[in-house]
Amino acid sequence: MAKAADSKRRECLVGLMTNAKRKNNKVKILGMSATPLVNKLKEGKSILELITGKVFHDLKTAPYVSNAVALFEKFTNMSLRQIVDYKKSKLLYTDVEAELPDEKLFPYLEKNPLGIEQLLTDVRIPEIIKRIEGQTIIYTEYVGSRIPGRDTIVNKLAKAVRDAGYKYGFYTGENDTGLIPFKKGKIQVLIASRPISVGIDGLQDICNNLIFNTL
């Protein structure tokens, strides 16, 4: 929230640091952030200005590579970054072949990744189930349904996992009830979507098998 220029938290922090500097001109400020920017370059610029008390007129925040590079240079000059030396992941790529769908489905597939992924999930499921080993996360970017009368992608995955005899739960935008049972080892499979990609800790302690249905 401190990254948002118009937030109340930001306003309070600026006031706190301004008064602190007036009372002690030797005061030091350390900013700590695992994610300096999540959505927009404006967030990174905001953090720099909050810590330094300076206005960076030279930093532009339109989403262009050149602007991102300029922001990165500023961070590099005034920051430290911890890069953990994790054991290199073992990556396994699997190809599957899908038959051409019925022509009546074409209107739901044209220019619509959700519809396409909905059909392709059916083809991937047998390979996904084969690769469940120990605590396993199945990640899918697309979760819903585009084709009338067809089940959602997350429900397709859930039914397949259940039919294979595994206990499972969800961590998606609509249902996050599976996270705690998964971390406690009460369920073996966690079917997750984009919300799990940011700020979730503890998974690395109990799980080392991640299967992508859709990137």
Side-chain angles (χ1 to χ4, degrees):
M1 294 181 181
K3 300 172 189 174
D6 56 351
S7 72
K8 188 68 177 178
R9 183 172 300 185
R10 169 62 173 248
E11 182 182 336
C12 291
L13 279 172
V14 170
L16 172 65
M17 291 189 293
T18 300
N19 285 313
K21 288 177 180 178
R22 285 174 180 168
K23 292 193 173 188
N24 179 8
N25 59 14
K26 294 183 180 180
V27 69
K28 304 296 183 182
I29 296 172
L30 172 66
M32 298 182 67
S33 175
T35 51
L37 57 99
V38 179
N39 300 304
K40 301 175 181 178
L41 296 181
K42 186 184 296 184
E43 295 173 349
K45 179 180 179 182
S46 175
I47 287 182
L48 291 175
E49 293 180 340
L50 187 64
I51 293 172
T52 63
K54 300 176 182 178
V55 178
F56 290 90
H57 294 293
D58 57 322
L59 287 178
K60 309 301 180 184
T61 57
Y64 297 114
V65 172
S66 58
N67 293 341
V69 170
L71 180 63
F72 179 75
E73 288 177 352
K74 296 288 187 183
F75 273 119
T76 302
N77 288 332
M78 63 178 70
S79 66
L80 296 171
R81 180 185 180 193
Q82 181 189 28
I83 302 178
V84 182
D85 186 19
Y86 287 118
K87 183 180 178 181
K88 189 174 182 180
S89 299
K90 178 182 178 182
L91 305 179
L92 175 65
Y93 300 92
T94 302
D95 292 325
V96 295
E97 292 187 7
E99 295 182 359
L100 190 67
D102 193 303
E103 289 186 7
K104 65 182 180 182
L105 295 178
F106 285 6
Y108 304 107
L109 307 180
E110 186 176 3
K111 298 180 181 179
N112 195 303
L114 174 57
I116 295 171
E117 293 296 341
Q118 197 174 353
L119 289 182
L120 292 179
T121 295
D122 291 331
V123 185
R124 297 190 191 110
I125 279 177
E127 296 297 327
I128 289 173
I129 298 301
K130 287 180 187 177
R131 285 160 178 79
I132 295 175
E133 183 178 350
Q135 295 288 99
T136 298
I137 297 173
I138 300 175
Y139 182 88
T140 181
E141 182 76 4
Y142 295 95
V143 298
S145 174
R146 166 64 177 161
I147 304 172
R150 301 287 184 99
D151 215 344
T152 64
I153 289 176
V154 289
N155 283 343
K156 287 174 182 287
L157 292 168
K159 288 178 180 178
V161 170
R162 180 193 62 202
D163 291 345
Y166 298 105
K167 291 184 178 180
Y168 67 92
F170 296 102
Y171 195 86
T172 64
E174 296 182 351
N175 186 349
D176 61 0
T177 57
L179 181 62
I180 294 176
F182 182 74
K183 290 168 72 172
K184 291 182 177 180
K186 294 182 178 179
I187 60 176
Q188 185 174 349
V189 178
L190 186 64
I191 300 170
S193 61
R194 187 178 295 187
I196 207 171
S197 64
V198 178
I200 304 299
D201 195 24
L203 295 173
Q204 72 276 18
D205 297 325
I206 50 92
C207 176
N208 61 7
N209 191 27
L210 173 62
I211 302 172
F212 287 96
N213 177 47
T214 60
L215 293 176

